[in-house]
Amino acid sequence: MSVLSTESLTLSYGESIIIKELDLQIPKGEITVFIGGNGCGKSTLLRSLARLLKPQGGSVLLEGNHIAKLPTKEIAKQLAILPQGPSAPEGLTVLQLVKQGRYPHQNWLKQWSKEDEAAVNRALDATGLTELADRAVDSLSGGQRQRAWIAMTLAQETDIILLDEPTTYLDMTHQIEILDLLFELNEKENRTIVMVLHDLNLACRYAHQLVAIKNQSIYAQGRPEDVISCNLVKEVFDVQCEVTQDPIFGTPLCIPHGKGRCILPQLGGDHEKQAVTV
């Protein structure tokens, strides 16, 4: 069962077509990751799913309803999005930012409640920001700011969460913490997660399904172990690679060819070396 879908969706910026007549199904209660080269339309597609970009043609459906016809507040109760590179007003504190995630749940009859307070505290705790709640967002490091925006998204407590490169600016520790958190929200609360990720190996580890985008359309879609291959990486990313199995998780592990320091004597001096990530 799909919770989000598109029908003949066409997206453009001016005269430039980015996505053309796309039919896509996002399964409910799973983690879907968009992958593809820079400029292929991953972020554009994600924004259109949240009604942040008006299609040139076709439509986006949320639970079978045309999203263009739904009230904005109703959409915000079902779907939260963290776009790429958000910015906060100068001086806004982390707590004030995260509280904004509760806006869709407010109206003139229902003001700030204990449920709102609890949701904000859960989001701060989950992202490790409780101690920084009174700090101004613009005074934080890039990684801390990213976690603050993720906390705001979590505070919204929607069944669907869309994230555009949520691990941007994060070090390895916080990348894994954020992705683990999203994985737990999916596992324990059946949240539907849709993400754009650049790290192909992390995408393979966390995604139930990958959507590889190329030439304005879907090049491949399915479980990582079913779709990831040397040929796909070459066609989508223009990189030669080896695909093996992650020794910890058993998911596909892509090892791209390239230059680098080599400690394997059999490869010789000027042989193309292998890196560890895509």
Side-chain angles (χ1 to χ4, degrees):
M1 176 183 177
S2 63
V3 64
L4 270 174
S5 60
T6 69
E7 294 179 347
S8 301
L9 183 69
T10 297
L11 305 170
S12 66
Y13 290 112
E15 298 297 318
S16 178
I17 300 294
I18 308 299
I19 296 291
K20 186 175 182 181
E21 297 181 356
L22 184 74
D23 293 322
L24 173 67
Q25 304 285 327
I26 302 294
K28 187 172 185 176
E30 293 191 359
I31 298 175
T32 297
V33 176
F34 295 161
I35 61 172
N38 289 337
C40 72
K42 304 183 297 296
S43 298
T44 300
L45 176 58
L46 194 79
R47 293 179 68 237
S48 75
L49 293 178
R51 208 177 71 174
L52 297 182
L53 179 65
K54 185 178 180 180
Q56 180 176 319
S59 57
V60 175
L61 304 179
L62 173 60
E63 297 280 10
N65 299 307
H66 287 269
I67 199 169
K69 298 178 180 179
L70 295 174
T72 299
K73 210 163 188 178
E74 188 59 36
I75 294 172
K77 290 180 181 179
Q78 300 180 60
L79 182 154
I81 181 169
L82 176 62
Q84 192 177 130
S87 59
E90 185 177 352
L92 190 76
T93 68
V94 171
L95 180 60
Q96 290 169 331
L97 176 65
V98 177
K99 280 185 172 182
Q100 290 187 12
R102 301 303 297 167
Y103 169 74
H105 303 275
Q106 310 293 310
N107 57 50
W108 67 278
L109 285 175
K110 183 178 180 294
Q111 299 300 315
W112 192 258
S113 67
K114 291 182 179 179
E115 290 79 9
D116 295 321
E117 195 73 30
V120 168
N121 289 335
R122 282 194 296 271
L124 289 169
D125 181 63
T127 51
L129 291 172
T130 303
E131 299 297 321
L132 299 177
D134 295 325
R135 286 272 302 274
V137 175
D138 54 16
S139 73
L140 303 177
S141 69
Q144 290 169 333
R145 282 197 300 272
Q146 185 74 349
R147 283 189 283 146
W149 283 101
I150 291 173
M152 187 198 74
T153 304
L154 296 182
Q156 202 168 324
E157 292 197 326
T158 58
D159 288 334
I160 308 168
I161 304 175
L162 311 181
L163 305 106
D164 192 355
E165 299 182 38
T167 57
T168 300
Y169 306 121
L170 301 183
D171 59 30
M172 184 183 297
T173 298
H174 289 112
Q175 284 185 42
I176 298 301
E177 284 182 357
I178 291 299
L179 292 174
D180 279 355
L181 170 62
L182 295 170
F183 184 81
E184 288 175 2
L185 288 172
N186 170 260
E187 287 279 293
K188 296 177 181 178
E189 302 179 17
N190 204 38
R191 306 270 194 109
T192 301
I193 312 289
V194 186
M195 293 186 282
V196 172
L197 288 178
H198 277 303
D199 190 313
L200 188 53
N201 291 327
L202 288 179
C204 288
R205 176 183 294 188
Y206 288 94
H208 294 101
Q209 77 154 348
L210 296 178
V211 177
I213 300 173
K214 182 187 178 185
N215 293 337
Q216 305 173 344
S217 189
I218 296 174
Y219 178 85
Q221 180 176 0
R223 293 165 62 85
E225 52 269 35
D226 295 332
V227 301
I228 289 297
S229 65
C230 297
N231 183 64
L232 178 141
V233 175
K234 173 61 179 173
E235 291 295 319
V236 173
F237 297 96
D238 194 25
V239 172
Q240 297 282 359
C241 78
E242 305 298 325
V243 176
T244 186
Q245 190 176 67
D246 187 305
I248 299 176
F249 292 90
T251 50
L253 183 67
C254 298
I255 307 173
H257 296 188
K259 296 185 181 298
R261 191 176 66 86
C262 182
I263 60 173
L264 299 176
Q266 64 267 31
L267 289 181
D270 293 325
H271 195 284
E272 274 202 334
K273 314 305 188 300
Q274 293 180 338
V276 294
T277 57
V278 171

